[in-house]
Amino acid sequence: MKKLALALCVGVAGALPVCAEQVVDLAGIWSVQQVEGKAAAIEMRVPGDVHTALLKAGRIPDPYFGRNEEKVQWVGEAEWVVSRDFEVPAELLAKQEIILRLEHVDTFCTVEINGQKVGETGNRFRRYDFDVKEFLKPGRNTVTGTFWSAEKMGAALKAQQPFPIPTLAHKDIQFVRKPTCNGGWDWGISLMSAGFAGPVKLIGYDAARIDYVYCEQKHGENSCTVDVFVEARMVAEGTQTLNVQIGEVQVTQAFEVVEGDNLFAVSLTVDNPKLWWPNGEGAQHLYGMKVTLGDATFERKLGLRTIEVVNKPDEGDKSDRPGMCMTFRVNGADIFCKGANWIPCDAMLAGQTPERYRDLLTSARDANMNMIRLWGGGQFEADEFYEICDELGLMVWHDFMFSCSLYPSDKAFLAEVQAELAHQIRRLRDHAAIALWCGDNECIGALKWFEESRKNRDLYLINYDRLSRVLAEAVKAYDPTRMFWPSSPCGGPGDFSDAWHNDSRGDMHNWNVWHENKDFAEFYKFRPRFCSEFGFQSFSSPDVVKTFCPPEHRNPTAPDFEHHQKNDGGNARIMETMARYFRFPDTFEDMLYLSQVQQAIAIKTAVEGWRRLQPRCMGTLYWQLNDNWPVASWSSVEYGGKWKHLHYHARRFYAPAAVVTIPVEDGGKTNHEIWVVNDYAHDIKADIALDTWTFGGRKVATRKLTKEVAARSAIKVETVKSEDFGTPEERMDRFVALELKATGNNMIDTHRNAFFFNAFKKCELADAAVTATPAEKNGRFEVTLQTDKPAFFVWCNVADTPGEFSDNSLTLLPGQPVTLTFTPKVKMSLDEFRKNLTVTHLRKTYR
Ligand code: BMA
């Protein structure tokens, strides 16, 4: 720990003026060359990676196309030298100390300046500061990074282990501190990336270098006291002035410092603080925060709020043990968490840009999500990711980077983990959005997956515990304000039971439907406290399929198309499910469409079923938000940012006020429970209209229900009997459309839903004629949809144009036209909009 600097009770007028620190950013164009290769050096952008550089130079085919993945595997086995020349200004060289600061280096790199080694990296999740003053010279300098093959390093580290460490991952990646999914995953291409994925900077200073700033918030009646801690390296002992400003409040204090590492602490009180709230709960107020110490400055945004995870025994259930809730409480309010799981947004590092983050996270926010789970098989993301989550009100459930594996617990490995967490937790802990530190993804469950650990559980349990303790201790040391959740899924701190199938304690991963091939209704059998993973796959849309699959392979079992399915048997499962619920589609495009429809229904079934269980269930995070290359997967947003059907449904099934119907069996008959979920912090009046329609388009009956629904609650409004909607024969030709009008607190929300009495394949859906009338209004595009007969999962698409509709994949009823807006992310004319717009619906998928 750093030495605590002493506050001086003296004025600061006598402090010496200092020149600002000097920063030379080495981002930009570097060159890259294979160590053993003969080919000439090519350009490489930093931050960036070798694969992207080779692709841009035409040295490798597009890894995302066809089966090219196989053709580029050699890149990860090779060694690469990247370098650039740069000017060292005299002002930099004049500084007392100069460091080269590297973040997100992927992964094993020997760094040289002017041919002399300045340091080595070996952990993607650490930050490296190398003293480089002695290696620099005036004028032109050269920096070189030699990247050693992480794949070969993994194999070498494996050989040093005293006992086997089994994994579901590939390329021995569990021995390397690098995203576990880099070697390939059940949705992921295998690309063993190499490169400088983050900032590369020279920092020179005469007085101080700020390493970390973090705060502790103490919320009172009408004020918040913020204890600010600054960890800094001081060049010399003496007196230094620290100034901290949060919003309009500031404090300046003189400190007596020692040479080397120092820890400063000051306190500020913000009166009547404007609080930060998750999306949908209130504003995301962020205060500007600035720290100045000697010649160093540090700036960030700070959200003031309390956040806690309630995990205490309550209602017993099924087992003889009490249940353990998992409830996120923000500013005293229990929040139902709505969201999805996040994986790295591109398998090539250069594609992981702030623009991508913003696009995907905005899509999450726009689908009424308030939480993202940053999954443990991926990576600690760049600063911008967390800044955007703060800004958009997306709470982050943050796994540490361990997934689906057993991991080593030797001294060297644990020391790496300790060092990475010491950095990451201090770097990230002040983000208002971060709600929880979680040890890993499915590593407790993994103890049962492998023969080695089944046979010798004691050994592997102790091995697991050694690592888990390092994680727990790191949270205690570096962020005691947050809970450490040992693993996802688990019952909670101290509960290491496998919560995979346990719905009464903590979080669960519910994979009965996809991985165990059960019907969608299986979701209703579980009553989770918090479901942090459940998913169903779909294919990419035609627009995305075109980007990776040549026309002759656009067939579900053709090699190029199958190559973009990484879960064994995944395509067969998608098609077998279609056969269960739908008439088999005519064309390849219909099949793509239908795969997305059934995915949306599966996840809607789960979320609606579980949202209504609040406060027993307090969160659903489906698997998964995004993709890292174009692939058949569980994502709701395709690679490139296009929303699948599921994402439009998510916006509706995560709406703050929603009407939900649940089928319940009652003595061989099916009844329908009508529920209203109200996530608002105020009561609502729910007016519900249930319209019974024939598929031919005749409205048979209307029924009205009204109910007061308390703030943040779900209530069963009524149970209606199937026979109330007609005889079994009549019901073969009927469905029910619901409309909720939720009023209260000067707002009015409309939410629509529908339920069916039979599987779609059994219904004689009418061949509805849907017309689309495009128009342009105030620079945006509109399309008005009308139909002569009920049409389901009506899907508008603007070919090859990034952008989203205000709604999509919807039920369209005769006499009830709907106008949608389309917001393109590129410039387009009304003519192009008209030309590229297509509309289809479920009945169009078969003759
Ligand atoms: C989960 C995840 C991932 C995986 C997904 C789909 O359990 O944690 O490991 O991609 O299932 O199989």
Side-chain angles (χ1 to χ4, degrees):
M1 217 358 117
K2 315 243 161 178
K3 285 177 211 110
L4 188 65
L6 289 180
L8 287 183
C9 303
V10 293
V12 293
L16 291 174
V18 282
C19 304
E21 64 187 352
Q22 283 277 322
V23 178
V24 174
D25 190 345
L26 296 177
I29 301 297
W30 292 47
S31 73
V32 59
Q33 192 169 28
Q34 192 179 345
V35 172
E36 298 283 317
K38 296 204 169 53
I42 51 170
E43 276 190 358
M44 169 169 157
R45 187 165 279 283
V46 169
D49 60 296
V50 173
H51 285 91
T52 304
L54 294 171
L55 177 63
K56 283 216 165 119
R59 295 267 177 89
I60 55 168
D62 179 0
Y64 295 173
F65 193 82
R67 280 164 285 160
N68 288 343
E69 177 187 7
E70 291 159 0
K71 299 184 188 141
V72 302
Q73 289 308 304
W74 65 272
V75 178
E77 289 155 24
E79 270 84 46
W80 301 92
V81 188
V82 304
S83 68
R84 74 165 287 172
D85 291 346
F86 61 97
E87 288 293 320
V88 171
E91 306 83 64
L92 176 71
L93 216 49
K95 291 288 169 190
Q96 291 288 321
E97 293 183 358
I98 307 170
I99 58 159
L100 175 65
R101 175 164 282 183
L102 302 162
E103 290 180 70
H104 310 284
V105 182
D106 193 8
T107 299
F108 297 96
C109 180
T110 304
V111 185
E112 288 168 286
I113 287 183
N114 300 325
Q116 285 176 283
K117 181 169 155 183
V118 300
E120 265 178 1
T121 71
N123 182 339
R124 164 85 153 83
F125 310 130
R126 278 178 67 177
R127 182 172 80 189
Y128 292 91
D129 288 340
F130 299 135
D131 290 319
V132 293
K133 186 170 158 87
E134 58 178 307
F135 303 107
L136 293 170
K137 56 185 192 204
R140 216 136 187 81
N141 288 256
T142 307
V143 58
T144 306
T146 305
F147 286 89
W148 309 103
S149 163
E151 202 171 325
K152 289 185 189 160
M153 295 298 274
L157 289 165
K158 179 183 181 174
Q160 292 167 18
Q161 287 299 315
F163 51 88
I165 305 288
T167 180
L168 285 194
H170 309 274
K171 309 241 177 200
D172 298 322
I173 207 160
Q174 74 274 35
F175 303 101
V176 177
R177 298 310 295 143
K178 177 179 182 37
T180 313
C181 65
N182 280 181
W185 209 256
D186 62 2
W187 38 257
I189 183 173
S190 171
L191 279 190
M192 291 292 277
S193 49
F196 291 116
V200 180
K201 282 180 182 168
L202 289 164
I203 305 171
Y205 45 93
D206 285 322
R209 183 185 85 215
I210 296 176
D211 287 336
Y212 296 101
V213 174
Y214 45 88
C215 304
E216 252 173 61
Q217 303 176 15
K218 292 181 196 124
H219 288 258
E221 263 301 275
N222 287 313
S223 69
C224 176
T225 301
V226 186
D227 294 337
V228 183
F229 300 93
V230 179
E231 289 190 22
R233 175 176 162 75
M234 309 306 294
V235 173
E237 65 173 36
T239 306
Q240 280 296 347
T241 303
L242 174 70
N243 179 282
V244 179
Q245 185 170 0
I246 298 176
E248 303 296 305
V249 192
Q250 62 170 308
V251 58
T252 304
Q253 209 166 309
F255 285 89
E256 200 175 277
V257 304
V258 295
E259 186 194 328
D261 294 339
N262 289 252
L263 173 66
F264 301 87
V266 292
S267 254
L268 290 84
T269 299
V270 179
D271 289 324
N272 302 313
K274 293 186 186 142
L275 297 180
W276 179 93
W277 285 94
N279 178 34
E281 303 289 337
Q284 287 76 50
H285 190 83
L286 294 168
Y287 287 86
M289 173 171 172
K290 188 169 178 183
V291 176
T292 321
L293 175 70
D295 49 352
T297 54
F298 175 95
E299 283 184 73
R300 65 163 315 128
K301 290 203 174 127
L302 189 69
L304 301 182
R305 49 97 192 96
T306 61
I307 199 159
E308 59 191 299
V309 184
V310 184
N311 175 235
K312 58 175 180 24
D314 57 7
E315 51 180 281
D317 199 19
K318 283 186 193 165
S319 66
D320 48 3
R321 294 190 300 167
M324 287 289 272
C325 65
M326 183 180 202
T327 301
F328 287 81
R329 187 170 287 168
V330 183
N331 301 324
D334 290 352
I335 309 288
F336 190 96
C337 299
K338 301 181 280 195
N341 283 267
W342 171 274
I343 62 168
C345 66
D346 206 305
M348 284 191 269
L349 304 176
Q352 299 173 4
T353 60
E355 294 72 30
R356 277 284 184 79
Y357 285 156
R358 184 167 288 283
D359 190 43
L360 284 163
L361 294 169
T362 302
S363 289
R365 192 270 315 267
D366 289 349
N368 288 313
M369 295 186 188
N370 58 17
M371 182 178 267
I372 289 291
R373 171 168 171 248
L374 201 153
W375 168 72
Q379 63 198 24
F380 293 94
E381 297 287 351
D383 290 340
E384 290 89 346
F385 175 89
Y386 305 94
E387 286 162 8
I388 297 168
C389 288
D390 286 347
E391 182 192 321
L392 300 180
L394 291 167
M395 291 182 279
V396 179
W397 166 315
H398 209 307
D399 284 1
F400 292 145
M401 298 307 136
F402 306 93
S403 179
C404 298
S405 277
L406 308 184
Y407 282 86
S409 67
D410 59 280
K411 235 176 165 180
F413 187 84
L414 296 184
E416 279 302 330
V417 171
Q418 206 286 330
E420 91 193 27
L421 292 185
H423 167 56
Q424 295 295 352
I425 298 176
R426 283 180 292 176
R427 167 172 88 102
L428 299 173
R429 60 174 272 184
D430 270 352
H431 285 283
I434 295 180
L436 178 75
W437 297 118
C438 169
D440 63 58
N441 173 71
E442 299 181 352
C443 291
I444 295 178
L447 286 162
K448 288 191 193 136
W449 297 348
F450 309 104
E451 212 195 325
E452 295 91 331
S453 49
R454 276 196 301 267
K455 275 195 181 148
N456 196 351
R457 192 165 166 96
D458 291 356
L459 171 68
Y460 289 95
L461 208 54
I462 290 168
N463 182 59
Y464 176 85
D465 183 56
R466 287 192 178 159
L467 176 58
S468 181
R469 273 171 202 269
V470 170
L471 312 183
E473 273 156 28
V475 173
K476 207 157 136 206
Y478 301 109
D479 187 6
T481 66
R482 285 191 183 79
M483 175 181 266
F484 172 67
W485 193 260
S487 179
S488 182
C490 81
D495 180 342
F496 293 96
S497 56
D498 177 14
W500 197 285
H501 290 100
N502 186 342
D503 66 355
S504 56
R505 301 168 72 78
D507 72 320
M508 86 180 294
H509 291 186
N510 190 309
W511 283 102
N512 300 52
V513 171
W514 175 264
H515 284 305
E516 294 172 23
N517 204 14
K518 303 262 170 55
D519 282 346
F520 298 165
E522 179 78 7
F523 286 128
Y524 294 136
K525 293 189 184 154
F526 293 88
R527 304 179 70 236
R529 314 309 305 256
F530 196 112
C531 197
S532 47
E533 274 190 25
F534 53 102
F536 200 88
Q537 275 205 2
S538 65
F539 294 127
S540 306
S541 65
D543 282 355
V544 173
V545 168
K546 273 198 297 208
T547 69
F548 69 80
C549 190
E552 62 278 15
H553 279 219
R554 293 185 196 154
N555 177 305
T557 50
D560 282 357
F561 190 73
E562 271 197 336
H563 190 81
H564 290 248
Q565 165 62 268
K566 295 293 186 184
N567 185 209
D568 290 344
N571 286 5
R573 172 128 327 141
I574 292 175
M575 289 183 288
E576 189 275 324
T577 306
M578 276 176 195
R580 254 188 275 170
Y581 296 106
F582 299 98
R583 298 196 187 177
F584 215 69
D586 279 350
T587 67
F588 178 69
E589 282 70 24
D590 291 335
M591 190 199 62
L592 302 181
Y593 159 92
L594 202 52
S595 77
Q596 294 198 3
V597 167
Q598 69 182 14
Q599 176 194 31
I601 296 173
I603 303 308
K604 175 177 185 279
T605 305
V607 171
E608 291 187 339
W610 295 335
R611 272 188 83 190
R612 84 175 200 294
L613 298 177
Q614 61 179 274
R616 178 191 164 83
C617 176
M618 283 305 280
T620 57
L621 308 175
Y622 64 76
W623 185 267
Q624 69 205 69
L625 178 74
N626 57 315
D627 284 326
N628 73 345
W629 74 310
V631 67
S633 85
W634 300 266
S635 73
S636 63
V637 179
E638 298 187 65
Y639 181 73
K642 188 179 172 66
W643 290 21
K644 289 179 176 173
H645 285 247
L646 171 56
H647 210 76
Y648 286 102
H649 283 261
R651 174 145 71 192
R652 293 199 295 263
F653 62 61
Y654 278 150
V659 59
V660 166
T661 66
I662 310 287
V664 281
E665 295 308 314
D666 179 20
K669 289 184 179 169
T670 306
N671 294 334
H672 299 268
E673 292 181 354
I674 316 287
W675 287 75
V676 171
V677 182
N678 175 23
D679 286 341
Y680 283 114
H682 56 82
D683 300 352
I684 56 167
K685 178 167 167 274
D687 289 302
I688 307 161
L690 279 85
D691 290 340
T692 309
W693 289 81
T694 65
F695 289 120
R698 190 166 58 87
K699 202 197 278 184
V700 181
T702 295
R703 191 159 166 195
K704 304 249 184 226
L705 302 168
T706 296
K707 195 89 174 175
E708 298 289 330
V709 188
R712 302 188 197 284
S713 75
I715 192 165
K716 182 162 59 172
V717 178
E718 190 146 325
T719 304
V720 291
K721 295 198 164 74
S722 287
E723 55 248 46
D724 295 349
F725 299 95
T727 63
E729 296 70 41
E730 284 169 331
R731 291 201 305 272
M732 282 309 299
D733 183 37
R734 287 181 185 177
F735 70 98
V736 178
L738 299 100
E739 188 180 87
L740 163 73
K741 285 234 179 308
T743 47
N745 208 21
N746 296 322
M747 49 69 71
I748 174 157
D749 270 10
T750 304
H751 185 255
R752 295 192 178 84
N753 214 330
F755 71 87
F756 301 83
F757 300 100
N758 297 285
F760 285 111
K761 70 177 181 183
K762 295 191 177 156
C763 300
E764 296 306 330
L765 304 183
D767 191 7
V770 175
T771 60
T773 316
E776 192 172 356
K777 222 179 194 175
N778 309 326
R780 292 207 298 183
F781 300 105
E782 284 189 356
V783 56
T784 300
L785 302 172
Q786 306 201 56
T787 187
D788 57 345
K789 309 269 169 59
F792 305 100
F793 304 98
V794 177
W795 181 248
C796 295
N797 189 56
V798 187
D800 303 321
T801 311
E804 282 103 40
F805 285 92
S806 52
D807 199 3
N808 215 342
S809 195
L810 43 89
T811 301
L812 193 63
L813 299 168
Q816 298 184 17
V818 169
T819 299
L820 309 178
T821 52
F822 178 72
T823 316
K825 292 175 186 164
V826 291
K827 251 190 133 36
M828 81 183 306
S829 67
L830 177 60
D831 236 27
E832 287 164 320
F833 177 63
R834 193 176 285 133
K835 225 172 55 217
N836 293 339
L837 176 72
T838 53
V839 184
T840 191
H841 58 88
L842 182 57
R843 181 61 189 83
K844 292 275 176 235
T845 59
Y846 58 92
R847 271 170 295 230

